[in-house]
Amino acid sequence: MTVIRMFPTRASATLAACLVVAGALAAAPFCHAEMTPWASNEGGRMRIVAMPPEPDGTVHGALQIEPKPGWITYWKEPGDAGIPPHVMFSKADGVTFNSFAFPVPKRIDNGKLRDIGYDQPVTLPFELKVQDPLKPLNLGASAFIGLCRNICIPFQAEFSLALAPVNATPVEEAMILNTAMSRLPEAPSDDFAVTHYAMTHGRDRLSLTLKLPAAITKPPQVIVTGPEGHVLFDGINGRQDGDGYSLDMPVGKLPKNYDIKGKRWGILVIAGNRAMETSLAFE
């Protein structure tokens, strides 16, 4: 069951503000370039990096987060408590927000709380689409994250991006994004995949069979994400048979009247120095 960590009263208002990007963006310095200035608080700092639009209108960018030593920030599902990162863009004509990706996180145990996130700098890639890549565009962005040590501090910052085509590739921005993309989980493959999954009739246990990369001798770490805020951490009955590994994951208490039919749950498997992410479709 998810444990809710208490935040200051104004945190709820801050999150609500994040979800509706205001017309006036003034919380952080603006920089009409593809790399914004850093916005900082007591737990760390963040900024946005964006490449110029490609000929088809695709814009590759990323949110960079650097927690200070001893602080953490969170994955898309934070675990027992915490704040997942959000990025919102102002409603500009012909701009759509296509995707937001997360590098492989780690499980961070803090007493009885189990967090999923990052205790080192992390870069979260995203993709935008602009309708007219030849038209210069000033785009406002609002980023909202949690930074935690002994307490959790909601951290919101506003940025401005000047998007316009250029004749050369910005080298520093390209290196940042290429490194971030290399740290994303891989897709399923012939040697690393979920080969079987089934929910028990009582829906209290998820049974999984995995195909693991060669030479993996230690049990993999498996994280399953169900309804928003519901994460399965703990596998039981783990057993290895050659390159196959089977386990069961207690589901815990699902939301009242939750119907799993037609839903997709996420799964992340970390085995050795490789990680694979996919989804489980329940018919």
Side-chain angles (χ1 to χ4, degrees):
M1 180 178 295
T2 300
V3 178
I4 303 299
R5 186 176 297 171
M6 299 304 294
F7 298 100
T9 303
R10 62 182 179 181
S12 298
T14 305
L15 178 56
C18 164
L19 299 179
V20 179
V21 179
L25 299 176
F30 289 169
C31 178
H32 295 290
E34 283 71 41
M35 187 179 296
T36 71
W38 290 100
S40 301
N41 78 353
E42 53 265 57
R45 63 181 189 169
M46 61 178 167
R47 70 178 176 183
I48 289 180
V49 176
M51 297 291 289
E54 298 179 0
D56 67 352
T58 300
V59 176
H60 294 287
L63 175 65
Q64 285 189 290
I65 307 172
E66 293 189 355
K68 289 183 180 178
W71 292 75
I72 66 170
T73 194
Y74 293 97
W75 190 51
K76 57 187 172 183
E77 282 291 350
D80 286 335
I83 303 170
H86 294 275
V87 178
M88 301 291 290
F89 291 89
S90 57
K91 294 181 179 179
D93 290 340
V95 177
T96 54
F97 185 29
N98 287 348
S99 64
F100 195 28
F102 290 78
V104 180
K106 64 187 295 185
R107 174 171 162 172
I108 304 168
D109 292 341
N110 182 16
K112 294 183 178 181
L113 294 176
R114 300 164 300 176
D115 295 323
I116 309 172
Y118 312 95
D119 57 4
Q120 299 291 329
V122 63
T123 302
L124 311 178
F126 62 75
E127 183 181 292
L128 303 174
K129 192 83 168 185
V130 298
Q131 190 172 23
D132 185 355
L134 299 179
K135 179 182 177 181
L137 176 67
N138 291 325
L139 185 64
S142 178
F144 183 82
I145 66 172
L147 291 168
C148 293
R149 190 170 61 179
N150 298 322
I151 60 171
C152 278
I153 300 176
F155 180 20
Q156 183 177 8
E158 317 295 341
F159 304 96
S160 182
L161 300 172
L163 302 178
V166 296
N167 294 326
T169 300
V171 175
E172 185 177 0
E173 291 90 335
M175 291 178 63
I176 290 170
L177 293 177
N178 288 341
T179 299
M181 295 298 293
S182 73
R183 293 175 179 171
L184 299 180
E186 61 189 82
S189 58
D190 290 342
D191 71 334
F192 197 6
V194 178
T195 57
H196 177 77
Y197 61 95
M199 188 73 74
T200 60
H201 291 298
R203 295 183 177 174
D204 60 352
R205 188 171 296 184
L206 176 64
S207 296
L208 298 165
T209 302
L210 314 172
K211 185 172 184 180
L212 300 181
I216 296 296
T217 58
K218 294 183 179 180
Q221 181 181 354
V222 181
I223 299 173
V224 175
T225 57
E228 184 176 356
H230 194 88
V231 183
L232 314 185
F233 286 101
D234 301 315
I236 60 174
N237 305 325
R239 50 210 179 274
Q240 189 154 1
D241 182 11
D243 61 1
Y245 186 86
S246 299
L247 73 159
D248 299 322
M249 302 198 76
V251 172
K253 188 177 181 180
L254 292 170
K256 187 177 181 180
N257 300 323
Y258 179 76
D259 185 2
I260 198 172
K261 186 176 180 180
K263 302 294 194 304
R264 283 184 175 271
W265 289 14
I267 180 170
L268 174 69
V269 182
I270 303 171
N273 61 359
R274 292 177 63 182
M276 180 273 299
E277 188 173 28
T278 187
S279 61
L280 311 175
F282 295 96
E283 304 299 334

